[in-house]
Amino acid sequence: YINPEGKEVRVSYVADSLGFRVVSNALPEGPVADLAMPEPVQETAEVAAARLAHEAAHAAAEAGVVPVSTLEPVQDTAEVAEAKAAHAVAHAEALALAEASGDRKKRQVFGFGAYPGYTFSPRFASVAVAAPVAV
C-alpha cells in the first residue's frame, strides 16, 4: 500500500514455531549499538590476594579437602550474656513450678486420652511374622 506520505509500504506476516513476526520496510529501527569494548578493570593487590585465596579454596573443595576454619568462636556481648542468664533463670523457675505441681506427666500419642475417642488399633499395626524354615 501507499502511505499518506506517498511511500510504498510492504508488510508481510509470518506465524510459525518461532512465533508471530512482522516484516516491513516501514517499521522503526532501533539505535545502532556502540560495540567498542570498555577498558578492563585493574585488580588491586587486595582483590588479587582474595581471588587467589578463593581459587585455592575452590580447588581444595573440588579435591574433597576442606580446610579447617581457624576463626575464633563468636563472643557474646554484654546484652546477650544478660539475656541468656535471664532466660536460664526463667526456665529454672518454670521447671521447678511444674515439678512442684505434680501435674507433670508423660504425654501419650495413641490412646489413653491423647484424643477423645481415638485409640490405637492393633489391626492396622504392621506385624512381622517369621517365615517357615525347611529342616
Side-chain angles (χ1 to χ4, degrees), residues 4-102:
E5 297 163 355
K7 295 183 182 178
E8 180 184 7
V9 176
R10 294 175 185 251
V11 179
S12 63
Y13 303 93
V14 178
D16 58 10
S17 63
L18 298 176
F20 181 78
R21 300 184 310 266
V22 177
V23 178
S24 174
N25 63 343
L27 290 175
E29 294 183 17
V32 177
D34 180 22
L35 300 177
M37 296 297 291
E39 290 293 320
V41 177
Q42 300 297 319
E43 286 186 342
T44 63
E46 294 85 13
V47 171
R51 180 179 51 78
L52 291 174
H54 174 77
E55 289 172 357
H58 190 270
E62 281 185 339
V65 178
V66 179
V68 176
S69 175
T70 58
L71 297 175
E72 295 293 322
V74 177
Q75 300 296 321
D76 290 341
T77 62
E79 294 87 7
V80 171
E82 183 180 323
K84 283 183 177 180
H87 176 75
V89 168
H91 185 270
E93 289 174 355
L95 183 61
L97 181 64
E99 288 177 351
S101 70

